[in-house]
């Protein structure tokens, strides 16, 4: 403060010249605007200590040697790569769904069957993959959906997703407990085939990476593993745990899979 500054100047000026003290306490605008021109140091226990001055900060050496930076994990190729979106409005309703969750099934049918078409001009509705690991087959179902989108496009993805939610019982714990991973993949590929997607292409996406195996990897993943990692990371960084979960314009919003269309209208009609 000004009072403290004046008091310091008055005290120190008893031992040295006033202009010199003021000069040392003035900010050094020639180098860094928020760094004092000098710092007082003392070995004595009173204000009669010597004031040391440095006009400039120590110079920083520059090195021509190139630095090698270790890059982090892969990033999605575009901002819209994660998730599946319908609509073109300026508002975004995001929903995190799991193919083995009955409540997700109800939410999917309401949002993409009724809400999204009704508000297509002002609302984008985005489906995010919310894997529930306590249902092991959940991961496999989401991998298959990502594989379908990769080999046949978004229209095929929506048809396949609707089929999975319409036939959820086939993926329930009691109906998959005795099936191997490969058997579940095959079942999912057959379901994809029923909506016009090449079964062999889906299976090719779900096979383990043979090149990585040949190089000694034992957990090589498949052609959609990285995409699934991005989906999971997107929900984890939002601290999303359960399905279904919704966000509206980027913020978590408490909704229910039991909402009627009128309840959704009450939420969305005020949006401009």
């Amino acid at each position: 403060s000004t009072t403290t500054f004046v008091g310091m100047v008055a005290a120190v000026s008893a031992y040295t010249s006033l202009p010199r003290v003021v000069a040392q306490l003035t900010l050094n605008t020639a180098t860094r605007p928020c760094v004092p021109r000098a710092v007082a140091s003392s070995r004595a226990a009173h204000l009669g200590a010597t004031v040391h001055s440095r006009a400039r900060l120590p110079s920083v050496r520059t090195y021509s040697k190139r630095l090698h930076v270790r890059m982090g994990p892969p990033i999605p190729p575009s901002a819209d790569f994660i998730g599946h979106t319908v609509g073109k409005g300026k508002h975004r309703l995001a929903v995190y769904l799991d193919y083995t969750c009955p409540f997700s099934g109800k939410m999917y049918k309401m949002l993409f069957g009724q809400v999204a078409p009704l508000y297509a001009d002002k609302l984008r509705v985005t489906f995010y993959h919310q894997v529930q690991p306590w249902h092991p087959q959940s991961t496999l179902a989401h991998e298959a959906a990502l594989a379908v989108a990769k080999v046949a496009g978004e229209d095929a993805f929506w048809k396949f997703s609707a089929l999975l939610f319409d036939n959820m019982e086939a993926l329930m714990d009691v109906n998959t407990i005795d099936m191997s991973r490969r058997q579940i993949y095959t079942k999912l590929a057959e379901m994809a085939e029923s909506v016009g997607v090449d079964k062999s292409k889906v299976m090719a996406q779900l096979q383990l990476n043979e090149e990585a195996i040949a190089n000694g990897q034992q957990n090589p993943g498949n052609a959609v593993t990285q995409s699934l990692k991005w989906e999971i990371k997107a929900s984890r960084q939002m601290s999303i745990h359960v399905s279904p979960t919704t966000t509206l314009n980027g913020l978590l919003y408490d909704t229910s899979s039991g909402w009627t269309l009128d309840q959704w209208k009450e939420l969305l009609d005020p949006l401009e």
Side-chain angles (χ1 to χ4, degrees):
S1 66
T2 303
T3 302
T4 303
F5 178 79
V6 172
M8 291 172 61
V9 170
V12 178
S13 64
Y15 300 93
T16 187
S17 65
L18 181 59
R20 183 179 180 184
V21 173
V22 172
Q24 303 311 308
L25 295 176
T26 303
L27 294 181
N28 186 353
T29 57
T31 54
R32 295 174 63 185
C34 295
V35 179
R37 190 177 294 275
V39 179
S41 63
S42 175
R43 293 184 180 177
H46 53 77
L47 286 174
T50 302
V51 178
H52 298 281
S53 172
R54 287 190 306 184
R56 288 182 176 274
L57 293 173
S59 62
V60 179
R61 293 183 180 180
T62 57
Y63 296 90
S64 60
K65 184 178 180 180
R66 179 177 296 178
L67 296 177
H68 295 281
V69 180
R70 183 180 179 86
M71 300 303 292
I75 59 174
S78 68
D80 295 325
F81 188 83
I82 300 173
H84 311 267
T85 301
V86 296
K88 298 180 180 179
K90 68 176 182 178
H91 300 285
R92 171 166 287 184
L93 176 65
V95 58
Y96 296 76
L97 301 172
D98 175 48
Y99 292 118
T100 63
C101 169
F103 303 104
S104 290
K106 292 177 64 177
M107 182 77 83
Y108 177 88
K109 292 174 183 178
M110 172 56 70
L111 289 183
F112 295 99
Q114 299 186 56
V115 174
L118 184 62
Y119 294 95
D121 292 335
K122 70 175 182 179
L123 184 69
R124 289 172 292 159
V125 185
T126 301
F127 176 123
Y128 288 106
H129 296 266
Q130 180 67 12
V131 174
Q132 303 289 32
W134 46 90
H135 303 304
Q137 67 278 14
S138 170
T139 297
L140 310 186
H142 287 279
E143 284 183 321
L146 290 168
V148 167
K150 187 174 179 179
V151 303
E154 288 295 292
D155 287 343
F157 166 81
W158 293 114
K159 293 177 182 178
F160 183 65
S161 293
L163 180 66
L164 290 182
F165 282 122
D166 284 339
N167 295 273
M168 292 186 65
E169 288 189 2
L171 296 175
M172 295 298 181
D173 291 350
V174 295
N175 294 319
T176 56
I177 186 64
D178 294 321
M179 297 176 68
S180 69
R181 178 177 179 178
R182 192 179 300 278
Q183 286 174 327
I184 296 175
Y185 277 155
T186 300
K187 184 178 185 64
L188 290 164
E190 290 172 350
M191 295 177 73
E193 187 176 40
S194 70
V195 293
V197 182
D198 189 323
K199 174 184 173 181
S200 63
K201 290 183 178 180
V202 174
M203 286 298 293
Q205 295 294 308
L206 300 175
Q207 298 300 315
L208 295 180
N209 187 324
E210 295 182 359
E211 181 179 352
I213 295 174
N215 290 330
Q217 294 188 33
Q218 295 187 354
N219 282 320
N222 55 39
V224 295
T225 296
Q226 184 59 66
S227 294
L228 186 61
K229 286 182 178 181
W230 285 326
E231 295 281 347
I232 292 173
K233 187 173 185 178
S235 63
R236 285 181 177 176
Q237 70 184 12
M238 292 282 289
S239 297
I240 292 174
H241 173 63
V242 300
S243 63
T245 294
T246 54
T247 66
L248 184 57
N249 288 340
L251 298 179
L252 290 171
Y253 201 93
D254 189 18
T255 61
S256 171
S257 61
W259 276 14
T260 64
L261 181 58
D262 287 338
Q263 288 173 303
W264 281 105
K265 286 182 178 180
E266 186 176 348
L267 169 64
L268 300 173
D269 280 349
L271 297 179
E272 297 180 355

